[in-house]
Amino acid sequence: MDVLQLEYKKQRVVQACLDIGIDLPDSGIHGMAEPWAYRKKGQFAVTKTAEGDIQIGLMAARSQRVVDMKKCWIQADPVNKAVQLIREFLNEHNSPVFSANLEQNGIAHLAFLYTDNPAQLIVTMVCNVNEFPQWDQLRDTLKQIPEFVALYLNVNPDPRWTVLGADQQLLWGNSAVSQVVGDLTLKVSVQAFSQTNSQQTLCLWECVSRLLQAKSADIVFDLYCGSGGMSLYLAKKVKRVYGVELNGQAVQDANDNKILNKRDNC
């Protein structure tokens, strides 16, 4: 990655912490060799133009306007392929798309979760009502992507300002998706936090471990621990780790990961 860009990003983080009274220790800059196609999570809004064309992209700042996007260069290739196929599918089938102004029920967002070790893609269709009658046809379309392993319907009654609702339903595929990071096998879920940059995850944990300078008798609290990956990594080095997390799915995943990796000190 460009050195100037890395330094700029570092200074943004340092300044943000100084603004709230935190003086960060200097751990150096750890850039990626190839800073493209690395994101394993993606969320995109779906809308339909007055002419009936499907647009899929990101929301413009502080608005409901969707900025149409043909390709996201930091998303994994299977995610971009899925977006392309879904766009074509929705146009071809004239699928209903959510619109608050037109009081139209339908698809409001797409959410993706991709793991690269092993390569697996989960696709979630977010609708404001509990129905997506064309899901089986869409599933067959997405099977063109070898990594595609699961299709979900997420019901969010008011998808204008939040993407995912509480109701997540497996329509087809494998509900137990995991990824390998270092010597850990970690269950991952669409609704639970896990690091979006799988290539840098182990590097991040190693940096935290060095800064922590923890000893074998120490007790560590991992606040906002998500699905527990870093907690489990640190548990190898300390007496006990307590993960603190509000998201119910993340707590479930963290407990499953503790059992999966045979860590009894988390």
Side-chain angles (χ1 to χ4, degrees):
M1 182 178 284
D2 181 82
V3 174
L4 292 177
Q5 184 181 159
L6 286 173
E7 183 61 32
Y8 169 76
K9 289 180 175 180
K10 175 186 175 181
Q11 292 307 318
R12 288 288 300 269
V13 173
V14 169
Q15 188 59 53
C17 291
L18 288 175
D19 290 344
I20 58 174
I22 298 176
D23 187 8
L24 285 180
D26 189 356
S27 63
I29 305 176
H30 304 271
M32 301 174 62
E34 293 292 335
W36 306 105
Y38 63 83
R39 277 191 68 92
K40 72 175 188 179
K41 280 192 172 184
Q43 296 178 344
F44 303 101
V46 181
T47 190
K48 185 179 289 189
T49 66
E51 295 74 29
D53 294 326
I54 294 294
Q55 292 189 327
I56 300 175
L58 302 176
M59 290 286 195
R62 296 177 294 280
S63 79
Q64 292 291 301
R65 180 174 63 87
V66 176
V67 179
D68 195 34
M69 183 174 57
K70 303 303 182 185
K71 179 175 182 177
C72 179
W73 290 93
I74 63 173
Q75 287 288 341
D77 290 337
V79 172
N80 280 308
K81 180 61 175 177
V83 170
Q84 174 189 340
L85 290 174
I86 293 171
R87 183 194 300 271
E88 294 170 356
F89 181 92
L90 298 181
N91 274 319
E92 179 183 346
H93 291 80
N94 193 28
S95 301
V97 173
F98 170 78
S99 171
N101 293 334
L102 300 176
E103 298 184 350
Q104 171 69 53
N105 295 327
I107 300 164
H109 300 279
L110 308 174
F112 301 94
L113 176 59
Y114 176 70
T115 67
D116 53 9
N117 186 20
Q120 300 167 103
L121 174 67
I122 300 174
V123 178
T124 299
M125 310 295 291
V126 182
C127 300
N128 70 312
V129 291
N130 189 6
E131 59 181 43
F132 182 52
Q134 300 165 318
W135 73 264
D136 53 343
Q137 295 168 277
L138 178 60
R139 172 204 59 199
D140 294 342
T141 297
L142 290 172
K143 283 184 177 180
Q144 297 178 49
I145 303 173
E147 298 88 349
F148 174 55
V149 297
L151 178 64
Y152 282 86
L153 171 65
N154 181 277
V155 183
N156 183 357
D158 187 5
R160 291 173 296 174
W161 301 107
T162 59
V163 175
L164 296 174
D167 185 4
Q168 181 89 351
Q169 306 170 23
L170 178 66
L171 300 176
W172 170 86
N174 185 5
S175 62
V177 173
S178 61
Q179 65 172 344
V180 176
V181 181
D183 63 350
L184 297 173
T185 299
L186 302 171
K187 177 183 175 182
V188 293
S189 301
V190 174
Q191 292 177 296
F193 173 80
S194 55
Q195 293 295 333
T196 59
N197 186 339
S198 58
Q199 297 179 40
Q200 290 286 81
T201 297
L202 195 57
C203 177
L204 171 65
W205 295 349
E206 290 170 348
C207 287
V208 171
S209 179
R210 286 197 299 270
L211 290 172
L212 195 60
Q213 296 182 343
K215 300 177 178 61
S216 60
D218 286 344
I219 295 175
V220 173
F221 286 83
D222 183 6
L223 307 184
Y224 315 103
C225 67
S227 55
M230 187 166 67
S231 301
L232 295 168
Y233 176 81
L234 294 174
K236 297 182 296 182
K237 304 171 182 295
V238 299
K239 180 178 180 180
R240 178 168 285 281
V241 178
Y242 290 94
V244 181
E245 177 59 58
L246 180 64
N247 182 289
Q249 183 62 59
V251 172
Q252 179 180 324
D253 288 353
N255 283 317
D256 290 344
N257 286 331
K258 177 182 71 171
I259 296 170
L260 184 63
N261 291 278
K262 300 179 180 178
R263 296 280 196 268
D264 58 5
N265 63 331
C266 284

